[in-house]
CSV table of all heavy atoms in Angstrom, one decimal:
chain,number,residue,atom,x,y,z
A,156,GLY,N,-55.1,31.5,27.7
A,156,GLY,CA,-56.0,30.9,28.5
A,156,GLY,C,-55.4,29.5,28.9
A,156,GLY,O,-56.3,28.5,29.3
A,157,GLN,N,-54.3,29.0,28.6
A,157,GLN,CA,-53.7,27.8,28.9
A,157,GLN,C,-53.7,27.5,30.4
A,157,GLN,O,-53.5,28.5,31.1
A,157,GLN,CB,-52.4,27.5,28.3
A,157,GLN,CG,-52.5,27.6,26.7
A,157,GLN,CD,-51.0,27.4,26.2
A,157,GLN,OE1,-50.0,27.4,26.9
A,157,GLN,NE2,-50.9,27.2,24.8
A,158,THR,N,-53.8,26.3,30.8
A,158,THR,CA,-53.8,25.9,32.2
A,158,THR,C,-52.3,25.7,32.5
A,158,THR,O,-51.5,24.9,31.8
A,158,THR,CB,-54.5,24.5,32.5
A,158,THR,OG1,-55.9,24.9,32.1
A,158,THR,CG2,-54.5,24.3,34.0
A,159,PRO,N,-51.8,26.5,33.6
A,159,PRO,CA,-50.4,26.3,33.9
A,159,PRO,C,-50.2,24.8,34.5
A,159,PRO,O,-51.0,24.3,35.2
A,159,PRO,CB,-50.2,27.4,35.1
A,159,PRO,CG,-51.5,27.5,35.5
A,159,PRO,CD,-52.5,27.5,34.4
A,160,VAL,N,-49.0,24.4,34.2
A,160,VAL,CA,-48.5,23.1,34.9
A,160,VAL,C,-47.5,23.4,35.9
A,160,VAL,O,-46.4,24.0,35.5
A,160,VAL,CB,-47.9,22.3,33.7
A,160,VAL,CG1,-47.5,20.9,34.3
A,160,VAL,CG2,-49.1,21.8,32.6
A,161,LEU,N,-47.7,23.0,37.0
A,161,LEU,CA,-46.8,23.1,38.2
A,161,LEU,C,-45.7,22.2,38.1
A,161,LEU,O,-45.9,21.1,38.2
A,161,LEU,CB,-47.5,23.0,39.6
A,161,LEU,CG,-48.6,24.1,39.7
A,161,LEU,CD1,-49.2,23.9,41.1
A,161,LEU,CD2,-48.1,25.4,39.6
A,162,GLU,N,-44.5,22.7,37.7
A,162,GLU,CA,-43.3,21.9,37.6
A,162,GLU,C,-42.1,22.5,38.4
A,162,GLU,O,-42.0,23.7,38.4
A,162,GLU,CB,-42.9,21.7,36.1
A,162,GLU,CG,-43.9,21.0,35.2
A,162,GLU,CD,-43.4,20.9,33.8
A,162,GLU,OE1,-43.0,22.0,33.3
A,162,GLU,OE2,-43.5,19.9,33.1
A,163,PHE,N,-41.3,21.6,39.0
A,163,PHE,CA,-40.2,22.1,39.6
A,163,PHE,C,-39.0,21.2,39.4
A,163,PHE,O,-39.1,20.1,39.0
A,163,PHE,CB,-40.5,22.4,41.2
A,163,PHE,CG,-41.0,21.1,41.9
A,163,PHE,CD1,-40.2,20.2,42.4
A,163,PHE,CD2,-42.3,20.9,42.0
A,163,PHE,CE1,-40.4,19.1,43.0
A,163,PHE,CE2,-42.7,19.8,42.7
A,163,PHE,CZ,-41.9,18.8,43.2
A,164,TYR,N,-37.8,21.8,39.7
A,164,TYR,CA,-36.5,21.0,39.5
A,164,TYR,C,-36.3,20.2,40.8
A,164,TYR,O,-36.6,20.7,41.8
A,164,TYR,CB,-35.5,22.0,39.2
A,164,TYR,CG,-35.7,22.9,38.0
A,164,TYR,CD1,-36.1,24.1,38.0
A,164,TYR,CD2,-35.5,22.3,36.7
A,164,TYR,CE1,-36.4,25.0,36.8
A,164,TYR,CE2,-35.8,23.0,35.5
A,164,TYR,CZ,-36.2,24.3,35.6
A,164,TYR,OH,-36.5,25.1,34.5
A,165,MET,N,-35.6,19.0,40.5
A,165,MET,CA,-35.3,18.2,41.6
A,165,MET,C,-34.2,17.3,41.3
A,165,MET,O,-33.7,17.2,40.1
A,165,MET,CB,-36.7,17.3,41.9
A,165,MET,CG,-36.8,16.4,40.7
A,165,MET,SD,-38.2,15.1,41.1
A,165,MET,CE,-37.9,14.1,39.6
A,166,ARG,N,-33.6,16.8,42.4
A,166,ARG,CA,-32.5,15.8,42.2
A,166,ARG,C,-32.3,14.9,43.4
A,166,ARG,O,-32.7,15.4,44.5
A,166,ARG,CB,-31.3,16.5,41.9
A,166,ARG,CG,-30.5,17.3,43.0
A,166,ARG,CD,-29.3,17.9,42.7
A,166,ARG,NE,-28.5,18.6,43.7
A,166,ARG,CZ,-27.7,18.2,44.7
A,166,ARG,NH1,-27.3,16.9,44.5
A,166,ARG,NH2,-27.0,18.8,45.6
A,167,ASP,N,-31.8,13.8,43.3
A,167,ASP,CA,-31.2,13.0,44.4
A,167,ASP,C,-30.0,13.8,45.0
A,167,ASP,O,-29.1,14.0,44.1
A,167,ASP,CB,-31.0,11.5,43.9
A,167,ASP,CG,-30.5,10.8,45.3
A,167,ASP,OD1,-29.3,10.8,45.5
A,167,ASP,OD2,-31.4,10.1,45.9
A,168,ALA,N,-29.9,13.9,46.2
A,168,ALA,CA,-28.7,14.8,46.8
A,168,ALA,C,-27.4,14.0,46.6
A,168,ALA,O,-26.4,14.7,46.6
A,168,ALA,CB,-29.0,15.0,48.2
A,169,ARG,N,-27.4,12.7,46.1
A,169,ARG,CA,-26.2,12.0,45.9
A,169,ARG,C,-25.8,12.0,44.5
A,169,ARG,O,-24.8,11.3,44.2
A,169,ARG,CB,-26.4,10.6,46.5
A,169,ARG,CG,-26.6,10.6,47.9
A,169,ARG,CD,-27.2,9.3,48.5
A,169,ARG,NE,-28.6,9.1,47.9
A,169,ARG,CZ,-29.4,8.1,48.4
A,169,ARG,NH1,-29.0,7.1,49.2
A,169,ARG,NH2,-30.7,8.0,47.8
A,170,SER,N,-26.6,12.6,43.6
A,170,SER,CA,-26.3,12.7,42.2
A,170,SER,C,-26.3,14.1,41.7
A,170,SER,O,-26.8,15.0,42.3
A,170,SER,CB,-27.4,11.9,41.6
A,170,SER,OG,-27.3,12.1,40.1
A,171,ASP,N,-25.6,14.3,40.6
A,171,ASP,CA,-25.5,15.7,40.0
A,171,ASP,C,-26.6,15.9,39.0
A,171,ASP,O,-26.9,17.0,38.6
A,171,ASP,CB,-24.2,15.9,39.2
A,171,ASP,CG,-23.1,15.9,40.2
A,171,ASP,OD1,-23.1,16.3,41.2
A,171,ASP,OD2,-22.0,15.5,39.7
A,172,ARG,N,-27.4,14.9,38.6
A,172,ARG,CA,-28.5,15.0,37.6
A,172,ARG,C,-29.6,15.8,38.2
A,172,ARG,O,-30.1,15.5,39.2
A,172,ARG,CB,-28.9,13.7,37.2
A,172,ARG,CG,-27.9,12.9,36.2
A,172,ARG,CD,-28.5,11.6,35.8
A,172,ARG,NE,-27.5,10.9,34.9
A,172,ARG,CZ,-27.8,11.0,33.5
A,172,ARG,NH1,-28.8,11.6,33.1
A,172,ARG,NH2,-27.0,10.4,32.9
A,173,VAL,N,-30.1,16.9,37.4
A,173,VAL,CA,-31.2,17.5,37.7
A,173,VAL,C,-32.3,17.2,36.8
A,173,VAL,O,-32.1,17.2,35.6
A,173,VAL,CB,-30.8,19.1,37.7
A,173,VAL,CG1,-32.2,19.9,38.1
A,173,VAL,CG2,-29.7,19.5,38.6
A,174,TYR,N,-33.5,17.0,37.4
A,174,TYR,CA,-34.8,16.6,36.6
A,174,TYR,C,-35.8,17.6,36.8
A,174,TYR,O,-35.8,18.5,37.8
A,174,TYR,CB,-35.4,15.3,37.1
A,174,TYR,CG,-34.3,14.1,37.0
A,174,TYR,CD1,-33.7,13.8,38.1
A,174,TYR,CD2,-34.1,13.4,35.9
A,174,TYR,CE1,-32.7,12.7,38.1
A,174,TYR,CE2,-33.2,12.4,35.9
A,174,TYR,CZ,-32.5,12.1,36.9
A,174,TYR,OH,-31.6,10.9,37.0
A,175,LEU,N,-36.7,17.8,35.8
A,175,LEU,CA,-37.8,18.6,35.8
A,175,LEU,C,-39.1,17.6,36.0
A,175,LEU,O,-39.3,16.7,35.3
A,175,LEU,CB,-38.0,19.4,34.6
A,175,LEU,CG,-39.2,20.4,34.5
A,175,LEU,CD1,-39.0,21.4,35.5
A,175,LEU,CD2,-39.2,20.9,33.2
A,176,SER,N,-39.9,18.0,37.0
A,176,SER,CA,-41.0,17.0,37.4
A,176,SER,C,-42.3,17.8,37.5
A,176,SER,O,-42.3,18.9,38.2
A,176,SER,CB,-40.7,16.3,38.7
A,176,SER,OG,-41.9,15.5,39.2
A,177,GLY,N,-43.3,17.2,36.9
A,177,GLY,CA,-44.7,17.8,37.2
A,177,GLY,C,-45.6,16.9,38.0
A,177,GLY,O,-46.8,17.2,38.2
A,178,ASP,N,-45.1,15.9,38.5
A,178,ASP,CA,-45.7,14.9,39.3
A,178,ASP,C,-45.4,14.8,40.7
A,178,ASP,O,-46.3,14.3,41.5
A,178,ASP,CB,-45.6,13.4,38.6
A,178,ASP,CG,-46.1,13.3,37.2
A,178,ASP,OD1,-47.2,13.9,36.9
A,178,ASP,OD2,-45.4,12.7,36.4
A,179,ALA,N,-44.3,15.1,41.0
A,179,ALA,CA,-43.9,14.9,42.5
A,179,ALA,C,-44.6,16.1,43.3
A,179,ALA,O,-44.9,17.2,42.8
A,179,ALA,CB,-42.4,15.2,42.5
Side-chain angles (χ1 to χ4, degrees):
Q157 296 179 351
T158 302
V160 178
L161 298 180
E162 296 179 311
F163 55 86
Y164 300 102
M165 65 175 190
R166 73 179 178 96
D167 182 277
R169 298 160 292 186
S170 170
D171 292 335
R172 288 179 176 265
V173 179
Y174 303 94
L175 183 64
S176 174
D178 299 321

